[in-house]
Amino acid sequence: MTKVALITGITGQDGSYLAELLLSKGYEVHGIVRRVALEDETHRLFRIRNILDDVTLHAASLESYASLFNIIHKIKPNEVYHLAAQSYVSYSFEDEFSTLNINVNGTHYLLSAVKEFATSKVKFYFAGSSEMFGKVRESRQNEDTPFNPRSSYGISKVTGYFLTKNYREAYNLHASSGILFNHESPRRGFEFVTRKISHAVARIKKGFQKKLKLGNIYSKRDWGHAKDYVEAMWLMLQQDNPNDFVIGTGKEYSVEEFAKKAFAHVGLNYKDYLVIDKKLMRPSDVETLLADHSKAKKILNWEPKITFDELVTSMVENDLEQTKN
């Protein structure tokens, strides 16, 4: 029997990789988008343009309970992957209200719709974030590390995590949360610092840009590849029992180190092009995040395969190709 999967956020970085993974495993894949218009193929749908004929898209909004309920009732999914969110941390400082509304209410609506459809038949995945840990008190963060978020985005993800946990315990829902540390790829949005760096490096190398402006270059993050991380999502929903897992590499690098490697890949010294712009500093920042993914390694048999160097190289090479085109 063919498994049916529903992905919110299918047009995003993680959603596109997850859709490809599920299709390769023989799933019938459905995705939620705000509206279905094929003329968006070169813009909103560009990450899934190569699989548009293989997936079914449904128009719905995380702000509309009825639209979510109707889709779940219609397609009767075996697995629901909730990836959609206002996920840009810096923007969450500019618009806290929409960040909390979309991320918290959207998660609540989806959980409720799944529960009302069939508690025992549907497996639910919630995309948590390392930003939930915020200003950490421990050198490595695992599933028992206290949350201390430093942004409305982090707060919204903590709320979504506890909503998921509550539905699991109160309604016997197979609901798991993946607390994912930073994961990047050539499909990363331009608003994120890693893609901002790789794109600028490509443009500077080609002579289209002179400088790269960044904020806090000393922030350290545990950076992995999104393609590895969506496999962990899938593995969580293949378990007999739901659970929560930290997903990361166990290695951390600063923003400065990311920039240094990116520029070095094209034979340039980052110090000649990097400009620190205080306007890009966040009101409250998270200085360091480092994953302890030993639980995922033990239970899911999951380990990251793509190295930091390979990640940076792939992003720069992709942007060099795009800049050429």
Side-chain angles (χ1 to χ4, degrees):
M1 183 179 175
T2 302
K3 283 187 177 180
V4 178
L6 175 65
I7 304 172
T8 70
I10 192 171
T11 61
Q13 169 190 255
D14 294 7
S16 63
Y17 281 119
L18 178 61
E20 290 173 354
L21 175 68
L22 296 177
L23 287 171
S24 74
K25 295 182 180 296
Y27 279 68
E28 177 185 319
V29 177
H30 297 255
I32 289 178
V33 294
R34 275 196 170 270
R35 64 188 180 91
V36 180
L38 292 182
E39 62 266 24
D40 291 336
E41 185 174 338
T42 57
H43 180 51
R44 280 195 317 125
L45 307 181
F46 77 95
R47 293 187 182 93
I48 58 170
R49 61 187 180 276
N50 60 314
I51 57 171
L52 274 175
D53 292 337
D54 303 313
V55 301
T56 304
L57 301 180
H58 303 268
S61 169
L62 289 179
E63 297 162 279
S64 168
Y65 176 81
S67 68
L68 298 174
F69 180 87
N70 288 339
I71 291 170
I72 288 172
H73 183 72
K74 178 182 178 181
I75 70 173
K76 299 176 174 55
N78 302 103
E79 298 172 4
V80 174
Y81 295 87
H82 181 34
L83 313 184
Q86 193 301 98
S87 59
Y88 186 33
V89 177
S90 291
Y91 180 73
S92 75
F93 285 103
E94 298 170 21
D95 190 351
E96 297 176 348
F97 297 97
S98 65
T99 298
L100 291 168
N101 181 44
I102 293 169
N103 294 1
V104 175
N105 289 339
T107 301
H108 190 195
Y109 291 161
L110 197 58
L111 279 164
S112 177
V114 168
K115 175 183 77 74
E116 292 300 321
F117 165 62
T119 303
S120 61
K121 295 180 182 178
V122 186
K123 294 182 177 181
F124 181 90
Y125 170 84
F126 171 70
S129 167
S130 58
E131 292 291 329
M132 293 156 57
F133 294 121
K135 191 171 183 179
V136 296
R137 306 186 185 106
E138 300 175 12
S139 58
R140 287 179 182 267
Q141 295 84 57
N142 60 30
E143 295 79 7
D144 297 320
T145 303
F147 298 134
N148 188 19
R150 301 271 286 170
S151 66
S152 58
Y153 170 74
I155 292 167
S156 74
K157 285 297 182 178
V158 170
T159 306
Y161 168 87
F162 281 114
L163 278 168
T164 304
K165 186 173 187 289
N166 182 63
Y167 268 74
R168 179 171 71 218
E169 295 174 352
Y171 304 112
N172 197 32
L173 189 68
H174 192 298
S176 299
S177 290
I179 306 173
L180 273 57
F181 280 61
N182 291 63
H183 46 291
E184 320 297 319
S185 77
R187 299 180 189 177
R188 195 54 146 155
F190 290 99
E191 67 271 25
F192 292 91
V193 67
T194 50
R195 188 67 190 282
K196 182 178 180 180
I197 292 171
S198 65
H199 187 237
V201 167
R203 286 178 55 80
I204 289 170
K205 181 64 176 179
K206 299 289 185 180
F208 299 132
Q209 187 172 326
K210 292 184 178 180
K211 297 291 182 180
L212 167 62
K213 292 183 180 181
L214 294 176
N216 182 6
I217 63 171
Y218 304 112
S219 288
K220 292 183 177 181
R221 292 293 185 270
D222 183 329
W223 272 308
H225 198 294
K227 188 178 287 187
D228 284 340
Y229 287 38
V230 299
E231 184 181 10
M233 299 175 190
W234 175 76
L235 285 169
M236 289 180 210
L237 297 199
Q238 309 318 302
Q239 306 304 304
D240 291 333
N241 299 308
N243 213 325
D244 304 321
F245 295 92
V246 162
I247 302 297
T249 69
K251 299 176 182 178
E252 66 177 356
Y253 299 88
S254 67
V255 173
E256 183 179 24
E257 287 174 295
F258 194 105
K260 182 179 179 180
K261 283 185 179 293
F263 275 102
H265 181 67
V266 296
L268 299 176
N269 185 338
Y270 78 104
K271 291 183 179 179
D272 295 334
Y273 304 96
L274 182 60
V275 175
I276 304 301
D277 186 346
K278 291 185 178 180
K279 293 194 294 291
L280 297 176
M281 300 286 190
R282 295 174 183 170
S284 59
D285 206 353
V286 176
E287 292 300 324
T288 179
L289 290 169
L290 182 59
D292 172 7
H293 68 281
S294 54
K295 181 178 175 181
K297 182 178 180 180
K298 180 180 179 181
I299 297 177
L300 303 179
N301 195 29
W302 179 87
E303 281 271 47
K305 301 180 182 72
I306 301 170
T307 67
F308 179 72
D309 284 357
E310 290 169 338
L311 168 66
V312 177
T313 298
S314 70
M315 293 182 69
V316 173
E317 284 295 323
N318 174 76
D319 283 327
L320 284 168
E321 186 66 24
Q322 285 202 3
T323 303
K324 182 176 71 175
N325 294 336

